[in-house]
Structure formats: structure tokens, C-alpha cells
Amino acid sequence: MKTTLLRNLSLGYLLLPNLIFSLGWFRLPLSVMLALAIICIFVYNYRLEKNNLAELSSKQLVQISVISLLIIAFSGIGGFCFQAFDYWAHNSKYYTLFNHSWPVLFKANGRYACHYFGFFLVPALISKMLGELSGIALYLWASLGLFLGFCWIFIFTGKSYLSLVLFLSLGGIGHLVKVVTLRLIGLNYHVPPFFTEIWPVLYQAQWAPNQLIPIIIVSSILFHDYVYLKKPERSFLAVIAIFIWGIFPSIVFVIIFSMLILLRYGRDIKAFFQRQVLIDILVPGLIFIPTFFYFLSGKSSVIAGFIWQFNPLNEIAFHYFFGVVIDLGVLIGIVFILNLHKNINRDIIVALFMLLILISLVRMGKWNDWFLRGNTPVLTLLSLFILQGFSTWIKEHPHWYKQKVAYPLMIFLLLGLVVPMSQIRRALQENVVTSMLFPDKVKFTPYPYNQFEDFYELGLSIYSQQEANQFLGQKGSIYELYLAR
């Protein structure tokens, strides 16, 4: 597979839910206009991109496919293996989209649902066509997205499996050190007041694959267009497309995109105002305006503020040190080991570190989804720069693993795998196969899809009134009055 085809497939994967959303959530003739605009801009970008950076062989594509299918199965999607608690919500959202007409109206209060449905829209549409909810459709759709993301990783790293493992394991060392420290002093780990932790990709796959998958794809397109094409404006379509996949990552991506534009055109303002650059930015922006009003109709009921404005402050500081500061130290250490601070891309690497620190100081949501999901785009892009430097370094040093400077890298890699591998071990122990072979020893039941009428009812029963209210669109909003079907 050539980079040109991979980029086109990646954009198509991101835009297809946007196409469905446009047709299902907006009234005529706006829905048709939006759908045609999305198709036209995809075709325009498809024809525009001519770069061929690298090519993956059929054998490598098969290998990446197998890896993607396994990781998605272990993540819990499809109900084959152990599912984290968040699958209460994931499964209910999927069922709601299948069981309700679009746009979704909650029966309990007659209010529009205002939520990021992107990950579920394609499989939900397939399920509607089949007449039954399809876990297989969701599983294959997720596997396809992860496959596209991993193809990018292979291309950027010179087709290195070791680099892929490093990508999956970066982050989470602070959490591990915290748990070990608590055990050593005779205390048990307990859930913090809210989360300020940097989690590795492999661990995030088990909690929020619906946002992780598009984050990897968009980060890869941004990296490709900035580092190789030297035209970050080409990525704006991908940045806009991710909004219906996840709000917090989208906001962070807009900030990152702005930084890339500033670094690329800050010293050449004239080049920024070229016709092609403006088209690449303004046209996707215009197409996004109705979706912007849709999300603007959401009820703002989340907890928000700087982390030092909440109590107990000592406990929050304790978790922040282990969850953020230690992992930042590890990442900075890797950057220095690989001499990336002397790299041509050092400015954007420094800017990404600064952004990661800034977003870590803000809390939004009961469990701080702002940082849990918002740090992932930054961490993913940082990882791509690190992986590119790492793959170059190991090529220049064939016996790199014998050098003392390699020891910290291997230690970081192994430590980063501990937490996600514990989840994978549980997935291997609790799944449909083991429950069939050992019914007396293994009790495995995935979270139900249809226990609740919709995910608002689930929010009331499983979470809280406050958290359920976050799914509600406001009465009398611009979307409800002028845009909704």
C-alpha cells in the first residue's frame, strides 16, 4: 500500500461518519448540500495528493491486520473479551443509534441527544440495514481504523515492529510507580478524586477506543503533512472531520494545527495567504459550521476549573506528580537520549510539551475527561516524533541494544507495557472461549447493549443525573429551531 492510498483511505474513514451525520441530523436541503460538499472535498483532496513516501507489502498488510484484529478483540469491542466499565456507555450508545430514528430524541424528556457519535455511525447504519444490532460490524469497523493507524506507524518508522511496541507502551510509567510506592508503604491503590494521568495507547484502547482510533489517524495525517509535505494546511480537513468522533481531542487538535501553521508560515506570512492554502483551511471550516451549532446546543453541565481549585489539594498534587510529572520526565529523557532536542523539528516538539503541561492543569468533567482524552493527541504526535527518531537511531547503530544509552529506553518500554499487559491478561482469562471451555471457573458476560432504552436512561441509572444531563441538547437552540431534521 502506497502512502497516497493510505492517506485517501484514512480521510475516507474519518469522513464517512460525517457524511452519515450530515444526512441523518440536518434538515433538507442543508443535509444534501453538506453531503455533496463532503463528497466533493474528499474527491478534491483525493486528486490533490500525489506523494508516495513508502509502500507496504501484502505480507506486511496481513500482519498489521492480524495485530489490529487482536488488539480490538482484547479491547472489548464486539463483546469477545473482558470489557472495562466504560462499555456500559459504549454499548448503550451503539444500541441507541440502532434503536432510534436520527437525530436521536430521548423519550424521557423529548430532548435531542447532543453527543459525539462518529465511531458508532457506520456500524449502526449497517445494523439498521441488517435489522439487528451487529457486534461484528462494530468490531470490524474498529479494526479497520486501527489498521489504518498502524499502517502509518509502520511507514514512519521504516516498518519496525519494535517501534510499534514502543508506540503502544509510551506513558503510564508514573501510574505504575504510584501503585508500587503505595504497596511498599502498606497502602492500597484507590481511585483519585479525578484523573490526571498519561495513559499509554494500549491501555487507552481498553477504555476509549472510539476516540483513540481517530486520534491515531488524524495525528498521523498531521505528522505526514507537516514533516514530509511541509504543508500542514492539508490536514485541516482531517482535524475538522474528527469533531463528531470526540470533542476534547478535537479542541486539542485545533490548537495543535494552529501551532503547526504558525511554525510553518510564521516567517512567511505571504505564503499563508496563497489561494491553495486558504482553500484547504476555509472550505472545511465552512462545511463544519452546522456541526458546530449542533455541539453548541449541548447542555454545559460539566465540572470545570484549574486543578488547584478542587479539594483535597494534597491528594490531587500527589496523583498529579505520579500521573503527569513522572511521565513527562520519561518522555523528556527519551527526547534527550535520541537527540531530538537538536532535531529540525525541535520547535514543535517543545511546543507539544508545553501544550501537554498546560492542558494537564485544567479539569473538565467529573473524572477529568478533558485531560484523559485531550492529552492523547499530544502524546500521539510526540510519540511519532520519538518513533521517527528511534527508528533512525537504531538504523545508524546496528548494535544499539549493546550500548548503555539503550538501557533506559528498554526499561521505559518494558515498564510502559506492565499496566496494559495486565488488562490483556484479563482479556485472555475472561472471554467467550474460556467461558465456554471452563464454565465452572470463568464467568464472562459482556455489558448489555439493550438493558436501557437509551444512553440517557443509562446515565441516570449507572452514573448520575449530572452526567446524564451532559447528553442533552438545549431547548430553543439554533440547531433545534433551524437545523434539526
Side-chain angles (χ1 to χ4, degrees):
M1 181 189 291
K2 295 182 178 181
T3 310
T4 301
L5 178 59
L6 177 59
R7 193 180 188 282
N8 291 329
L9 289 174
S10 298
L11 276 176
Y13 185 86
L14 294 169
L15 286 171
L16 184 55
N18 282 268
L19 180 64
I20 296 171
F21 184 77
S22 297
L23 292 172
W25 266 256
F26 296 104
R27 64 182 59 172
L28 290 169
L30 177 61
S31 60
V32 175
M33 293 169 59
L34 287 174
L36 290 174
I38 290 170
I39 294 170
C40 288
I41 198 168
F42 173 70
V43 172
Y44 175 77
N45 276 266
Y46 188 96
R47 293 176 176 174
L48 189 64
E49 180 55 51
K50 299 295 183 182
N51 178 62
N52 288 316
L53 178 65
E55 187 171 351
L56 297 174
S57 67
S58 298
K59 180 181 178 181
Q60 290 164 337
L61 292 175
V62 171
Q63 292 169 342
I64 298 171
S65 299
V66 172
I67 294 170
S68 302
L69 289 165
L70 287 174
I71 290 179
I72 292 300
F74 292 149
S75 75
I77 293 177
F80 303 117
C81 296
F82 166 77
Q83 294 181 330
F85 185 75
D86 281 15
Y87 275 86
W88 261 121
H90 296 328
N91 291 350
S92 184
K93 290 170 191 174
Y94 186 33
Y95 176 73
T96 302
L97 287 171
F98 164 72
N99 194 44
H100 287 63
S101 59
W102 297 345
V104 173
L105 278 168
F106 293 129
K107 293 184 178 180
N109 47 36
R111 302 275 286 278
Y112 283 107
C114 185
H115 197 61
Y116 41 90
F117 294 118
F119 176 72
F120 303 101
L121 284 176
V122 171
L125 181 60
I126 293 172
S127 295
K128 282 180 177 290
M129 294 168 65
L130 294 174
E132 61 179 2
L133 195 70
S134 174
I136 294 295
L138 186 63
Y139 171 73
L140 293 177
W141 173 249
S143 299
L144 173 60
L146 195 62
F147 165 79
L148 293 172
F150 283 175
C151 283
W152 281 113
I153 305 300
F154 263 66
I155 287 174
F156 295 146
T157 61
K159 307 172 187 178
S160 168
Y161 286 97
L162 182 59
S163 296
L164 178 61
V165 175
L166 182 60
F167 173 74
L168 294 172
S169 64
L170 279 175
I173 293 177
H175 175 82
L176 177 64
V177 173
K178 176 171 63 177
V179 173
V180 172
T181 301
L182 290 171
R183 293 280 178 87
L184 289 175
I185 61 178
L187 297 175
N188 293 322
Y189 171 78
H190 62 279
V191 177
F194 55 88
F195 288 103
T196 50
E197 294 183 341
I198 297 173
W199 291 349
V201 166
L202 194 55
Y203 190 59
Q204 293 237 29
Q206 291 147 355
W207 288 92
N210 57 318
Q211 297 187 58
L212 174 67
I213 290 169
I215 285 172
I216 295 174
I217 295 174
V218 174
S219 297
S220 299
I221 293 174
L222 274 168
F223 184 81
H224 170 261
D225 292 358
Y226 179 78
V227 174
Y228 296 102
L229 294 185
K230 311 297 182 186
K231 296 179 179 180
E233 67 275 5
R234 297 271 188 93
S235 307
F236 196 57
L237 178 58
V239 171
I240 287 299
I242 199 179
F243 265 86
I244 67 164
W245 295 76
I247 292 299
F248 290 148
S250 303
I251 295 171
V252 175
F253 269 125
V254 169
I255 298 171
I256 292 172
F257 176 79
S258 302
M259 294 192 312
L260 295 177
I261 290 293
L262 184 62
L263 289 170
R264 170 63 181 85
Y265 294 106
R267 297 178 182 177
D268 189 10
I269 300 296
K270 272 189 175 181
F272 176 76
F273 288 99
Q274 290 178 355
R275 177 175 171 271
Q276 187 62 60
V277 175
L278 293 178
I279 288 175
D280 287 333
I281 295 175
L282 292 178
V283 174
L286 290 171
I287 294 173
F288 172 69
I289 289 175
T291 305
F292 171 76
F293 281 110
Y294 168 77
F295 285 116
L296 203 62
S297 72
K299 186 174 177 59
S300 179
S301 60
V302 298
I303 300 168
F306 293 108
I307 59 173
W308 57 81
Q309 295 176 318
F310 300 93
N311 291 310
L313 190 57
N314 289 341
E315 187 177 350
I316 292 169
F318 172 83
H319 288 288
Y320 184 86
F321 173 77
F322 284 100
V324 177
V325 176
I326 288 180
D327 278 298
L328 276 173
V330 169
L331 291 170
I332 292 170
I334 294 174
V335 166
F336 275 91
I337 289 171
L338 298 175
N339 285 321
L340 296 181
H341 59 294
K342 301 176 182 177
N343 187 281
I344 189 173
N345 295 308
R346 63 185 179 276
D347 290 343
I348 185 58
I349 293 173
V350 171
L352 289 170
F353 272 111
M354 295 302 295
L355 178 60
L356 187 57
I357 293 169
L358 289 173
I359 65 175
S360 73
L361 300 175
V362 176
R363 175 192 181 185
M364 282 191 203
K366 181 178 180 180
W367 297 110
N368 198 14
D369 279 359
W370 159 253
F371 184 65
L372 286 178
R373 308 298 165 237
N375 83 76
T376 311
V378 186
L379 180 63
T380 304
L381 266 170
L382 276 173
S383 299
L384 293 178
F385 284 106
I386 289 171
L387 293 177
Q388 186 191 49
F390 178 69
S391 60
T392 302
W393 184 68
I394 61 177
K395 285 179 182 178
E396 293 174 350
H397 303 84
H399 301 289
W400 62 272
Y401 50 88
K402 296 181 180 179
Q403 299 182 27
K404 290 183 179 180
V405 73
Y407 297 163
L409 289 175
M410 299 308 296
I411 291 172
F412 295 154
L413 188 152
L414 293 172
L415 289 178
L417 285 172
V418 172
V419 174
M421 287 305 293
S422 66
Q423 291 289 102
I424 289 180
R425 184 185 67 177
R426 187 167 183 181
L428 289 170
Q429 292 172 339
E430 300 177 32
N431 54 66
V432 291
V433 176
T434 56
S435 63
M436 289 174 59
L437 294 176
F438 312 104
D440 296 332
K441 295 182 178 180
V442 179
K443 303 297 181 183
F444 169 70
T445 304
Y447 288 109
Y449 290 105
N450 59 353
Q451 185 164 331
F452 298 94
E453 182 71 23
D454 52 51
F455 62 93
Y456 176 75
E457 296 291 337
L458 173 131
L460 291 175
S461 301
I462 302 299
Y463 298 98
S464 67
Q465 179 74 60
Q466 183 184 45
E467 289 169 284
N469 285 345
Q470 295 180 47
F471 304 139
L472 299 176
Q474 295 186 47
K475 283 281 187 183
S477 65
I478 292 176
Y479 170 75
E480 183 182 45
L481 295 176
Y482 305 107
L483 303 177
R485 283 186 60 188

